[in-house]
């Protein structure tokens, strides 16, 4: 899967500040450092959506944004299809 180079610094900053260490560390953790729980995520997600003025944004919409960004930075149709298959496996 290719990552648009424009977002690499933001991804690295997130990993440095929030993610657990090591190859098996979680990328997203809960407020107390444990696993991210659906109930806690929903509360935070709803607040963030309201704060940025996108109350109708669904978490799944981010998948589409990611593919759009990849396409605009030159990803081929084959790469976009591969990204979709990779995401569906998760």
């Amino acid at each position: 899967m290719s990552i648009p180079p424009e977002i690499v610094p933001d991804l690295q900053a997130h990993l440095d500040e929030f993610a657990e260490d090591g190859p098996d560390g979680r990328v997203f953790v809960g407020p107390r450092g444990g696993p991210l729980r659906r109930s806690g995520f929903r509360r935070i997600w709803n607040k963030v959506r309201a704060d940025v003025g996108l109350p109708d944004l669904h978490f799944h919409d981010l998948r589409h944004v990611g593919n759009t960004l990849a396409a605009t930075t030159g990803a081929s149709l084959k790469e976009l299809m591969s990204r979709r298959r990779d995401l569906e496996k998760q």
Side-chain angles (χ1 to χ4, degrees):
M1 176 185 314
S2 60
I3 298 174
E6 295 84 3
I7 66 168
V8 170
D10 291 323
L11 290 174
Q12 189 61 58
H14 173 85
L15 293 173
D16 293 343
E17 186 170 347
F18 300 108
E20 292 179 334
D21 292 330
D24 295 324
R26 292 179 185 95
V27 175
F28 300 100
V29 296
R32 297 185 183 149
L36 188 60
R37 305 266 184 236
R38 181 180 297 249
S39 59
F41 176 80
R42 182 178 302 275
R43 182 177 35 81
I44 293 166
W45 175 249
N46 289 340
K47 180 184 180 327
V48 169
R49 289 185 318 166
D51 289 350
V52 299
L54 297 170
D56 296 325
L57 181 70
H58 300 344
F59 189 74
H60 181 81
D61 295 339
L62 299 176
R63 180 185 290 189
H64 301 292
V65 171
N67 266 345
T68 299
L69 291 172
T72 59
T73 59
S76 68
L77 182 56
K78 182 177 180 180
E79 290 171 322
L80 294 174
M81 291 172 65
S82 175
R83 288 170 55 91
R84 181 177 175 161
R85 280 192 303 276
D86 291 344
L87 287 169
E88 288 173 350
K89 291 178 189 175
Q90 296 178 3

